[in-house]
Amino acid sequence: MLLIWSWAPAEMFRWTYLFTDAGNMAQYAAGFSHPNFGEWRYYLQEMLVTIQIALWGTFLAAILAVPFGILSASNMAPGTSSSRCAG
């Protein structure tokens, strides 16, 4: 239920922008030097979006941890190079 609530505000559908708009980071970081606390409602709204993004990050990390954990277990994938070197 929380993931559905946070899908649109976290803009999960725009994941490709992580790669295409990386040049905007300097402009974004420059905004931290002169904050305007007169817009506290906007900041509160953006803090909520940050929590929603963290929720999605935690969910995706947990989902991906299970298959990668199984694949890296030596008793599940015994033919890896590390098991050949050890024994």
Side-chain angles (χ1 to χ4, degrees), residues 1-60:
M1 191 66 152
L2 288 174
L3 293 175
I4 294 169
W5 168 70
S6 64
W7 176 266
E11 298 179 353
M12 293 296 293
F13 53 88
R14 294 175 59 184
W15 64 273
T16 57
Y17 286 20
L18 288 171
F19 307 105
T20 59
D21 290 347
N24 294 335
M25 290 298 177
Q27 180 182 0
Y28 177 74
F32 285 104
S33 61
H34 297 50
N36 179 5
F37 292 107
E39 302 176 12
W40 66 271
R41 286 189 175 110
Y42 172 73
Y43 294 138
L44 189 62
Q45 179 184 358
E46 292 302 308
M47 287 190 321
L48 183 62
V49 171
T50 301
I51 292 170
Q52 292 169 330
I53 291 170
L55 181 66
W56 270 101
T58 303
F59 173 75
L60 292 174

